[in-house]
Structures are given as structure tokens and as C-alpha cells.
Amino acid sequence: MTRSLTPAERLATAEKDVLLDDIVKQSTWDRFLVEQAVFAYGLVNDTFSANCLRDVLPEMGHGFLGAAINSLRTGGIIRHTGQMVPSTSGPTHGHRIAVWQITDKGRAIAAARRPQTRERAA
């Protein structure tokens, strides 16, 4: 039995240009995509909540948002800021939700994924 990759391992090993065919072959491709979206959003925003992410995800992604956030939190890629905001999702009736930010571990994973810039020879 092969073990599942942790969110940190998935993010660290994911190539920049993943082919749709490769993603579809994964049994959890939809959660993987939402994890990638949360990670990418967190890298360009100081803090974020599920409210922010629901605005940028397609409807199908909303159901995986909690699982993706929890997975990234458990993997040490995002952390709770200690702040809470009211949910803007109708079915939640404005209950309080967490505000998150990328951790140093998450930023290190992002840095390792960036293509290395090469200095041009003079």
C-alpha cells in the first residue's frame, strides 16, 4: 500500500505546469486543486479567510474549502492568525470563521517551486 503524500509534499513536488490529464488521474484531484488555490491565494495576500477564497473559487470548490484549509493547517503550511471574521456564506448564518496566513514553511515551499533565475553571461 502506498502512503498518501502530505499537503507539504504535494506542494513541494507539484510542477508549475501540471497537465489536466495528470490531475484528473488523481483520485482527489478536486481537493488538490482547491489546496493549490488556497496556497496561491495565501502567497499573494497577507491574510485570508474562507470568505476571500469563495469569491475566487468556482462553485464546485466551495465544498472542498474546509478540507483543503484543514489539510494545509495540519501540514504546517498555513497558520491561524488568532483573528475571526463572520462568514459571508448564507447557509452558515454568519458564524465566525478563522483568518489564516502562510507560514515560513509554506513560503519555503513556494520559493523551492519557483524556477531559478539564471544570470546572463556578459
Side-chain angles (χ1 to χ4, degrees):
M1 176 194 298
T2 59
R3 80 173 177 86
S4 297
L5 295 176
T6 67
E9 290 168 333
R10 281 194 301 274
L11 290 168
T13 60
E15 294 184 22
K16 188 174 181 180
D17 296 318
V18 179
L19 296 175
L20 182 59
D21 186 49
D22 292 336
I23 294 169
V24 171
K25 288 178 187 174
Q26 297 183 34
S27 61
T28 57
W29 69 273
D30 40 12
R31 194 175 105 204
F32 176 73
L33 288 174
V34 175
E35 283 177 1
Q36 290 286 319
V38 172
F39 184 61
Y41 192 90
L43 288 171
V44 296
N45 293 278
D46 292 334
T47 60
F48 59 94
S49 71
N51 292 338
C52 305
L53 295 157
R54 277 192 301 272
D55 290 342
V56 298
L57 286 173
E59 187 66 33
M60 80 85 186
H62 296 187
F64 299 101
L65 192 50
I69 287 173
N70 191 47
S71 181
L72 294 171
R73 179 194 56 79
T74 302
I77 296 165
I78 63 173
R79 73 171 188 83
H80 189 285
T81 64
Q83 298 174 309
M84 302 290 283
V85 295
S87 174
T88 57
S89 174
T92 65
H93 304 289
H95 73 53
R96 301 190 47 81
I97 59 173
V99 177
W100 304 96
Q101 68 185 165
I102 297 290
T103 63
D104 290 340
K105 179 179 180 178
R107 293 197 187 288
I109 290 168
R113 291 175 61 184
R114 278 188 213 107
Q116 300 297 320
T117 57
R118 296 181 184 168
E119 294 182 30
R120 293 181 183 225

